[in-house]
Amino acid sequence: MGELKKMLNPETIAFIGADDSEGSFERAILDNLLSSNKKQLFAVNNSRNRALHLDCIPSVNDIDSHIDLAVIVAPDEFLLERIEECAKKGAEGAIIISTGPRTSPENRKIFEANIWEIRKKYGMRIIGPDSNGIILPNNGFRATFLKMDPVPGSTAFISQSGTIGNAMLHRGVAQK
């Protein structure tokens, strides 16, 4: 099983789907990842040469370093393939911000079962799909599209629901 400590305090991060288009949530994620302290960030996108000041790498397989955390934003039709590439590469964990296919509930269950099978097969820890990402104020790490920047403290909050998590985060930051 991937090491949780490496996932929550990564030294190397692969951002699959890196894009710097103004106003996109990929740009917000990239900005947040770049503001994280002392992290080696690999921008992965096979249709771009650069994202902000980073050279884009076409595939996670082209990264020569071990990956502690993969942050994945991919089109529905490529999402499972990107997750499995990260798992095969030996990533400790992945945050899947993409939603996956929005079809029937039956197809959604099949999609989520496929993610579960990848996790079991390779032992990679996975947050998502449909994740808002993670924010760890005590170590300055933000792997999210959210613009919130909570102050460090001794309280943790974990939510399965992105809607509830986002609302609680807004409430908590507003009450500083």
Side-chain angles (χ1 to χ4, degrees), residues 29-49:
I29 295 166
L30 187 57
D31 286 339
N32 284 336
L33 289 172
L34 286 168
S35 72
S36 297
N37 301 327
K38 302 177 202 155
K39 312 293 181 196
Q40 184 177 16
L41 177 61
F42 298 97
V44 180
N45 190 322
N46 63 2
S47 63
R48 301 181 65 86
N49 292 325

Side-chain angles (χ1 to χ4, degrees), residues 13-21 24-31 33-34 41-52 54-58 71-75 82:
I13 303 164
F15 178 24
I16 292 82
D19 189 343
D20 60 1
S21 300
S24 68
F25 68 88
E26 291 92 341
R27 169 66 182 264
I29 295 166
L30 187 57
D31 286 339
L33 289 172
L34 286 168
L41 177 61
F42 298 97
V44 180
N45 190 322
N46 63 2
S47 63
R48 301 181 65 86
N49 292 325
R50 291 184 66 74
L52 294 178
L54 300 173
D55 290 331
C56 285
I57 299 166
V71 178
I72 305 171
V73 178
R82 297 298 168 262

Side-chain angles (χ1 to χ4, degrees), residues 92-170:
E92 301 291 335
I95 298 172
I96 306 167
I97 296 181
S98 300
T99 60
R102 291 289 181 193
T103 59
S104 68
E106 295 80 24
N107 286 344
R108 181 65 181 191
K109 285 181 184 177
I110 292 168
F111 172 75
E112 290 174 357
N114 287 332
I115 291 175
W116 181 253
E117 287 303 314
I118 292 169
R119 188 210 65 76
K120 282 191 337 188
K121 181 177 180 180
Y122 297 98
M124 183 172 68
R125 293 184 183 267
I126 297 176
I127 297 174
D130 291 331
S131 174
N132 284 341
I134 58 175
I135 301 171
L136 301 166
N138 288 349
N139 69 1
F141 181 56
R142 295 170 56 211
T144 180
F145 56 88
L146 299 172
K147 300 288 187 179
M148 297 283 145
D149 196 13
V151 296
S154 60
T155 302
F157 175 76
I158 299 172
S159 173
Q160 185 277 328
S161 166
T163 303
I164 291 172
N166 196 12
M168 292 297 293
L169 181 62
H170 277 83

